[in-house]
Amino acid sequence: MIVKALVIHLARAEQRKEHVKKLAAELPFPLEIIEAVDGKLLPDEAIEKFCRPRLYRPTYPFALNRNEIACFLSHRRAWQAIVDQNLDAALIMEDDAAPIAPFSDGLELALTNIEREGFIRFPFRDGRESGRLVARSGDVSLIEPVCAGLGMVTQLVSRDAAARLLKATETVDRPVDVLLQMPWVTGVVARSVVPGGIREISPTLGGSTLKPKRQISKLKRELLRPIYRARIAMRARLAAMRRQ
């Protein structure tokens, strides 16, 4: 298999450069930096072309901000690199991802199954996903979550899955990790390695570069979020039942 590590890195995030070098030394694949889209430099025309509110149901109740849009476009750059370079798969990591034990075991399990499964996540929050067992090796499992968790810190993506995602995300209405909870839209069912073997270490690297600024009141967000999550969970359960 031809596999690369693609690390999404924002050029102005100086404090993260040393960590990217550390990843290059530790990972078992050649590493390429994917320059992250900078939300501060994103033209309004690009936003208007890419985003269309209320595109899918259940309706996403929040407006996308520039940082969320930039994050989505950055992952599309990584998917495009997989297709353009004709890679069999790529380990896509954000530049605040830090592998820990048992990441190497999980990566081996993911590589064994990636051709069939297509999109395999390495969650940085353990214990939040459950679903059908796909494969197991020692203490590491590969599952098909009923509803995939949030976060795009690390994932192994096949060329076919990357092509499907590019086609499905020419126009979007919600963040990239939220849309990936909707395989009936993307055509890609996310699987997860558990435990993920990944930490998200942005606090030690100067804080998040992609954290969205809140555009609505905290109270309103806290009211709307659980309603949306209940709706997406219900739809995800129905979709999982159909697949099985």
Side-chain angles (χ1 to χ4, degrees), residues 55-217:
L55 186 60
Y56 300 116
R57 292 184 179 277
T59 301
Y60 190 65
F62 311 119
L64 285 172
N65 65 41
R66 304 180 81 88
N67 289 339
E68 290 170 323
I69 296 166
C71 177
F72 206 134
L73 291 170
S74 298
H75 280 275
R76 291 191 90 251
R77 282 185 176 180
W79 301 335
Q80 190 67 60
I82 295 172
V83 174
D84 290 348
Q85 297 179 36
N86 200 32
L87 303 177
D88 291 304
L91 182 68
I92 302 175
M93 307 182 81
E94 295 179 343
D95 60 4
D96 56 0
I100 57 174
F103 177 73
S104 58
D105 293 336
L107 180 58
E108 184 177 349
L109 180 62
L111 287 167
T112 302
N113 291 275
I114 189 60
E115 186 175 353
R116 182 180 69 249
E117 304 302 343
F119 191 101
I120 299 176
R121 305 174 62 254
F122 295 79
F124 67 98
R125 299 185 183 100
D126 289 329
R128 300 196 178 189
E129 299 177 33
S130 61
R132 179 179 66 87
L133 177 67
V134 176
R136 178 180 288 135
S137 177
D139 295 330
V140 180
S141 299
L142 178 64
I143 67 168
E144 181 183 312
V146 174
C147 186
L150 297 176
M152 297 291 289
V153 178
T154 302
Q155 57 271 179
L156 186 68
V157 184
S158 73
R159 181 173 61 250
D160 178 69
R164 287 173 181 264
L165 288 169
L166 286 168
K167 184 175 182 180
T169 62
E170 293 178 354
T171 308
V172 303
D173 67 348
R174 63 199 71 198
V176 58
D177 55 345
V178 180
L179 189 61
L180 278 162
Q181 293 181 317
M182 304 170 69
W184 55 91
V185 171
T186 64
V188 173
V189 180
R191 274 75 179 188
S192 294
V193 171
V194 291
I198 287 290
R199 287 188 302 143
E200 190 270 332
I201 60 169
S202 60
T204 70
L205 300 172
S208 175
T209 60
L210 298 175
K211 186 176 181 180
K213 295 179 180 178
R214 302 307 185 193
Q215 295 179 332
I216 62 176
S217 72

